[in-house]
Amino acid sequence: RSKYDLNGADPAKDGLWEVDLTTGTDQLVVSLASLGSGSGIDHSGSTPFVTHPLYSPTGIRAAFLYRILTPDDALHTRLYITSPGIWATQLLCEGTVSHFAWRDDETLLVWFRAGAALVSRARKRGLLGSRAAKPALTLARKLAPGIKQRLARQAYYMFNVSSGTSP
């Protein structure tokens, strides 16, 4: 089994890897266990993973997504910023986070659901995994995209990565 295999991966021994393309050597720089700690999300029965690593224009920063499928069948995402070589992580936003691109080394354009704080709190308390919540979640997921986006304030946001704020 490859150490990059997600099935049964040890969260302490897998995560974001740095690979030297010249020598082929690699090292784990941020573990899945450290990225998921303090999230309040139930990780039982799911395998978290890291995806979409992207360096800033000059390479002084990198952004990546930490994702986990929650017990209520939603994809919970955390967007992290880090500095190569140091690899200390900064959580920029979490919840429904998707497509992102660097504008410059300080600014990141992110597709984000800003109004999802209530849903995120309910998910962390385990309320969305109940049988009673499933019909409501199914209905909410089927809303017309424009209505859902307006209600959830889902749009592209510009984040200043140093301050963690969105104008």
Side-chain angles (χ1 to χ4, degrees), residues 16 19 23-24 29 59 62 68 78 82 87-88 107 111 136 142 146 150 157 167:
L16 184 65
V19 178
T23 65
V29 293
I68 188 156
R78 297 178 114 190
T82 189
W87 298 111
T107 314
W111 180 256
K142 291 181 179 181
R150 282 191 297 274
Y157 290 87

Side-chain angles (χ1 to χ4, degrees), residues 89-165:
T89 57
Q90 168 197 348
L91 177 62
L92 189 64
C93 57
E94 70 177 306
T96 300
V97 183
S98 186
H99 308 73
F100 61 91
W102 288 98
R103 178 179 178 197
D104 52 44
D105 287 328
E106 292 291 321
T107 314
L108 196 62
L109 178 67
V110 181
W111 180 256
F112 176 57
R113 186 178 293 166
L118 180 62
V119 173
S120 185
R121 282 194 298 273
R123 179 169 289 119
K124 288 178 182 182
R125 292 185 182 133
L127 300 175
L128 299 183
S130 72
R131 288 184 187 173
K134 295 238 181 212
L137 289 171
T138 301
L139 178 63
R141 288 179 180 137
K142 291 181 179 181
L143 284 174
I147 294 170
K148 187 166 59 173
Q149 289 171 354
R150 282 191 297 274
L151 289 174
R153 295 186 4 243
Q154 185 169 310
Y156 276 102
Y157 290 87
M158 292 287 237
F159 281 90
N160 178 299
V161 297
S162 294
S163 67
T165 58

